[in-house]
Amino acid sequence: MVEVYRLVLIGLGFIFVGLGVVGIFVPGLPTTPFLLLAAACFARSSKKFYNWLLNHRIFGPYIKNYREHKAITLRGKIISLSLMWLVMGYTAFFAISNLFVSIIIILIGLGVTKHILSLKTIK
């Protein structure tokens, strides 16, 4: 049973890494939360994959900056907020006809914006 649990976590870890990679290129899909989830899965299932992820030249800095410093680069803040509001604004004002759903989308966007702006900025 323990081995099945371990394999499920490894599988989920790679799914989250994949979603994080897609998030690098797709506006509105976050990168860091998926990489943090992948790291959590790997930390509980495979030291080898956990170390690979933390030491990866592209993925590692996302995780380390967030976990160690609760920080994001200024470029990251600008890009993530711009793309998020483009996608959420379009969705709330043009793609959704239900006012209640549009309001929820805007409130979620405000919450995410508050969180991103509350993070320290790495120079």
Side-chain angles (χ1 to χ4, degrees), residues 12-121:
L12 285 172
F14 280 109
I15 289 169
F16 292 138
V17 168
L19 289 170
V21 169
V22 173
I24 292 171
F25 303 102
V26 175
L29 187 65
T31 298
T32 303
F34 286 122
L35 294 178
L36 291 171
L37 284 169
C41 288
F42 289 150
R44 289 166 180 75
S45 62
S46 171
K47 278 289 189 207
K48 175 184 167 185
F49 293 134
Y50 179 72
N51 289 331
W52 166 80
L53 188 61
L54 288 183
N55 295 310
H56 193 278
R57 68 179 183 87
I58 295 172
F59 308 138
Y62 282 102
I63 299 165
K64 288 178 185 173
N65 288 335
Y66 190 84
R67 287 182 62 200
E68 294 172 10
H69 308 290
K70 294 287 189 234
I72 188 171
T73 63
L74 179 59
R75 180 179 183 269
K77 283 184 178 185
I78 292 169
I79 291 171
S80 62
L81 288 174
S82 299
L83 292 175
M84 181 189 73
W85 278 109
L86 279 170
V87 171
M88 290 183 118
Y90 175 80
T91 303
F93 295 112
F94 301 111
I96 302 290
S97 60
N98 185 320
L99 180 62
F100 180 72
V101 174
S102 293
I103 290 170
I104 289 175
I105 290 170
I106 297 301
L107 291 174
I108 290 170
L110 289 171
V112 172
T113 298
K114 181 182 177 205
H115 174 70
I116 289 173
L117 292 177
S118 73
L119 297 172
K120 294 176 197 164
T121 303

